[in-house]
Amino acid sequence: MEQEKRNGIAVNQLGFRRMDRKTAVIEGEGGTFRLISKTTGESVLEGKTGTAAEDRSSGKKVCRADFSGVQQDGTYKLETDEGQVSDWFTIGDEVYGAAHPALLKAFYYFRCGMELEETYAGVWKHAACHLTPAIVYGDETRHVDAWGGWHDAGDYGKYVGPGAKAVADLLLAYECYPNAFARALPLPETDGAMPDVLHECRYELEWMQRMQDAESGGVFHKLTTLRFPAADTMPEDDTDELYVSPVSATATGCFAAIMAMSARVYAGFDAAFAAGCKAASERAWDWLEQHPEVPGFRNPPEIVTGEYGDKVDTDERYWAAAELYRTTGEERYHEAFLQLAEREFDKYELGWADMGGYGTISYLLSERRGDLAVAERLRAGLLERAERLAAVSRKDGYGVSLQPEEYIWGSNMLVLNHAMLLLIADRVAGTDAYAELALNHIHYLFGMNVLGISYVTGFGSRPVKHPHHRPSEGDGVDDPVPGLVSGGPNLGIQDDYAREHLAGRAPAASFADVMESYSTNEVTIYWNSPVVFVLSHFV
C-alpha cells in the first residue's frame, strides 16, 4: 500500500546539521509549535509559524516552523496545539553519514555480469547474470561480448546515454568534493589507493568500451532483451537472448564525452586505463565527424524495452567537444565546441536527453583559457538559470524548484538536477548563495514533502518500501535494496495502478509506493547519481 503523510508536519526524517537552517512544513494555518527532546520529553523551544500560503504543487495550505536556533545534538520531534506531530529526527553533524555511502553503494547493487557476494551485498546477494554475447540487431551473424556495467533501472537493460549521465554526476562529485569519498564502502576492488567512487564508475566505463563498435568507432545505443522480464525475475534468471541496438549519434556523443572526462580523472590513478579512455573518445569523435547528420534513435522493430529515444544530438556533440578540449587542449575540439555553442539548444540541462549542461560545466570549470566572450555568455546563462530555479524554490511550499507541471516521470531527478545546478552555479560564481536552497531539495527527498515519505529506500522513518525494482521484488528479502532513489510524483499517471488510484491528485501527491506503479516508483542509476553529487556538498 502507498504511504500517506502522517499528522501534518513534514520534516527531513534523517535530520539537520547543527549549524544549518532547520525548518519543517506544517499543513494548515499554523500557530504555535514546540520542539520536544526525546531524551527529556520536554519542550526545548516554542515558536510561531510563518504565514500560511496555498502551495499549488501539493494542493495544500502550508506554513513553516523555523527552529534553527537549536544546535544541541539530540533526537527531537515537533508538535502543535492542533495535535500535529512530526517524525522523530536528529540534530547533529553526521546526519548524512550513512546515507551518502549507501546512495553510492547502490551502484554496486545495480552491477550486471558478476556475482554479488554476501561479503559486499549482504542479504541482497545474487548470482552472476547476462554473460552471453549479444546479437547485433539487424546483423544476426555478429555478436558483441558486452558483459558488465550497471542495470539501468528496475529492469535489466543497459543504456549508454543514461549511463554516461550517471557516471558524469559521480565524477563531477569526486572532482568537486574529493573528501566526501575518503572512506571505503567497501567494494570488491577496494585497494586503499583509488577512491571507491572511481572503482565503481570504472565498472560501468569498461562496459561502455565494450559497446563501441570495433569496425566503425560508433557506439551501440543499448543492450537489452527483446522485452522486459516478469516483475519478480532475478537477474540470473533473465536468460532471454540479448541484443545490442544499432549505433546512435546520441550514444556515441555521450560516450566520447564521458571517455574524455574519464581520461582526465583517472590519469593520476591508472595511466593505461586513462589512455584507453582517451583513445576510445577520439575514435567516437571521428565517427561523429564522419556522420554529421544522423536520424534520432528509435527502437528497432521487435524490441520493446526502454527506448531512450533522442531526436537531437547537438547537445551530446557539444558535451563531447568540451570534454575533449578540456582533456587534450587540441584546438580542433575547441573550434568544434565554439561552433556548436552558437546553435540553439538548452545548454544548462542535466538530463539523459539534454546533456548540454555538462558541456557548459566542463567549459566553465576548465583550467584552459578558452574563449573569454563565450565563457562569459555561458556563465551568465548558467547563473540566470540558477536564479530562476532559486526563485521557484523560495516560493514553493516545500522549498523545491519544481513548477506544478514539472512533476513528471522521474520528478526526483529534476529535483536533484536542479539542486546540482544551484551548487555548480555557486562554484562558478565563487559564492554560497544557493547552498541553503540546494539543501531544501535534500530535505524534500528525505521526507519534507506532502506525502511525508522518504524517497530513498532504507533511510528515514517512513522510506519507500516497494520500489519498481526486480531484484528487490524477487529476492525473497522483506526490505528492498537500500539506497535506491524512487522516481517520485508523476502527474502523468502513466501506468495502470496510477491511473486507477492517483487520478485527480495534486502533482506533488501523485505517487504510489507499490511495485506496480513503475511511472512513479521505479529506480534508476541516473536518479541516484545527482543525489550523490548534492549530498557530497553536505558531508
Side-chain angles (χ1 to χ4, degrees):
M1 294 296 292
E2 59 186 291
Q3 300 182 28
E4 295 291 344
K5 191 174 77 62
R6 186 186 67 182
N7 292 337
I9 304 181
V11 295
N12 181 334
Q13 294 164 18
L14 300 190
F16 303 84
R17 299 186 306 172
R18 289 189 315 107
M19 304 307 292
D20 286 338
R21 187 181 180 208
K22 309 172 191 71
T23 62
V25 178
I26 300 178
E27 286 184 17
E29 295 294 341
T32 301
F33 70 88
R34 291 174 296 281
L35 185 67
I36 308 299
S37 166
K38 191 172 187 178
T39 302
T40 66
E42 296 180 354
S43 172
V44 299
L45 176 72
E46 187 170 300
K48 293 284 187 181
T49 65
T51 303
E54 296 289 343
D55 178 55
R56 291 194 303 143
S57 294
S58 67
K60 301 288 185 181
K61 195 169 195 177
V62 298
C63 57
R64 290 267 179 155
D66 191 322
F67 48 99
S68 303
V70 178
Q71 298 172 358
Q72 180 65 40
D73 287 5
T75 302
Y76 303 89
K77 69 178 179 180
L78 289 160
E79 63 180 29
T80 69
D81 292 339
E82 286 71 37
Q84 296 164 298
V85 183
S86 75
D87 296 292
W88 291 105
F89 58 87
T90 299
I91 293 177
D93 288 334
E94 296 298 320
V95 292
Y96 304 125
H100 182 265
L103 287 155
L104 178 59
K105 183 67 175 281
F107 291 89
Y108 168 78
Y109 288 111
F110 277 114
R111 285 192 188 189
C112 180
M114 67 174 288
E115 178 187 1
L116 300 193
E117 303 173 38
E118 187 171 0
T119 302
Y120 303 100
V123 296
W124 300 283
K125 62 186 178 180
H126 64 74
C129 59
H130 304 106
L131 290 169
T132 58
I135 300 166
V136 177
Y137 188 89
D139 185 359
E140 276 66 17
T141 63
R142 291 184 65 200
H143 290 75
V144 175
D145 192 10
W147 64 274
W150 299 322
H151 298 140
D152 171 72
D155 60 274
Y156 301 126
K158 297 184 290 188
Y159 306 82
V160 172
K165 184 252 189 300
V167 174
D169 292 342
L170 296 180
L171 294 186
L172 278 169
Y174 172 70
E175 285 191 304
C176 292
Y177 311 108
N179 291 340
F181 302 96
R183 297 178 185 174
L185 286 178
L187 299 170
E189 300 84 2
T190 299
D191 58 9
M194 189 163 77
D196 280 347
V197 63
L198 300 188
H199 284 302
E200 193 55 65
C201 288
R202 181 170 178 164
Y203 193 78
E204 175 78 347
L205 291 164
E206 289 176 339
W207 166 74
M208 287 185 184
Q209 290 174 346
R210 299 180 194 111
M211 290 288 284
Q212 186 169 34
D213 182 20
E215 296 178 4
S216 70
V219 179
F220 296 111
H221 190 80
K222 66 176 189 172
L223 191 160
T224 70
T225 51
L226 292 178
R227 59 193 60 82
F228 294 123
D232 60 352
T233 304
M234 289 297 289
E236 61 269 32
D237 297 326
D238 180 30
T239 56
D240 285 358
E241 284 189 311
L242 300 170
Y243 287 81
V244 290
S245 291
V247 167
S248 74
T250 52
T252 305
C254 287
F255 178 92
I258 200 61
M259 288 298 156
M261 185 181 189
S262 299
R264 183 174 70 251
V265 174
Y266 284 87
F269 296 99
D270 188 330
F273 178 68
C277 290
K278 177 175 177 288
S281 175
E282 291 171 332
R283 281 203 73 213
W285 180 261
D286 289 344
W287 185 95
L288 291 170
E289 288 203 310
Q290 293 161 16
H291 300 81
E293 300 292 336
V294 183
F297 179 82
R298 296 300 304 271
N299 262 343
E302 299 180 83
I303 297 182
V304 296
T305 51
E307 182 175 77
Y308 288 104
D310 192 349
K311 295 179 181 178
V312 179
D313 58 37
T314 310
D315 49 318
E316 288 86 3
R317 293 171 185 264
Y318 170 82
W319 180 27
E323 295 291 1
L324 276 161
Y325 173 58
R326 187 178 180 189
T327 294
T328 70
E330 293 185 26
E331 192 57 32
R332 64 185 178 120
Y333 299 123
H334 192 207
E335 291 174 2
F337 175 82
L338 295 177
Q339 290 173 9
L340 289 162
E342 294 302 316
R343 296 172 65 174
E344 290 295 323
F345 62 95
D346 195 317
K347 300 178 179 68
Y348 308 102
E349 281 295 322
L350 301 173
W352 60 262
D354 295 300
M355 297 287 201
Y358 295 101
T360 297
I361 290 168
S362 179
Y363 198 69
L364 293 179
L365 296 184
S366 176
E367 302 77 14
R368 303 191 185 282
R369 179 178 175 82
D371 184 302
L372 295 181
V374 172
E376 182 52 39
R377 187 168 76 242
L378 292 172
R379 178 181 180 275
L382 176 65
L383 297 181
E384 179 186 7
R385 178 67 60 88
E387 187 51 39
R388 283 189 358 224
L389 296 176
V392 176
S393 180
R394 292 181 185 113
K395 291 180 180 178
D396 183 77
Y398 290 84
V400 294
S401 54
L402 265 58
Q403 301 280 12
E405 63 273 14
E406 292 181 297
Y407 285 86
I408 58 173
W409 197 324
S411 63
N412 280 339
M413 181 189 75
L414 290 184
V415 169
L416 275 301
N417 280 354
H418 290 179
M420 184 174 167
L421 198 74
L422 290 170
L423 293 174
I424 292 287
D426 268 345
R427 179 170 288 265
V428 166
T431 64
D432 60 357
Y434 298 126
E436 185 178 297
L437 296 178
L439 188 54
N440 278 343
H441 293 65
I442 292 292
H443 296 332
Y444 169 92
L445 190 74
F446 286 110
M448 201 166 77
N449 53 67
V450 68
L451 296 177
I453 191 171
S454 169
Y455 288 115
V456 182
T457 57
F459 287 85
S461 48
R462 280 169 299 113
V464 165
K465 292 280 193 181
H466 308 286
H468 184 85
H469 180 239
R470 281 168 175 77
S472 292
E473 180 74 5
D475 60 10
V477 179
D478 286 342
D479 290 327
V481 170
L484 304 179
V485 176
S486 170
N490 174 14
L491 58 80
I493 55 174
Q494 289 147 304
D495 60 72
D496 289 342
Y497 186 94
R499 281 187 282 270
E500 182 178 349
H501 295 89
L502 302 181
R505 295 264 191 113
S510 297
F511 175 82
D513 182 20
V514 294
M515 169 72 176
E516 295 84 353
S517 187
Y518 54 84
S519 72
T520 73
N521 201 28
E522 191 167 11
V523 298
T524 78
I525 53 175
Y526 54 88
W527 295 341
N528 260 70
S529 57
V531 186
V532 173
F533 180 95
V534 177
L535 211 54
S536 297
H537 183 91
F538 299 104
V539 297

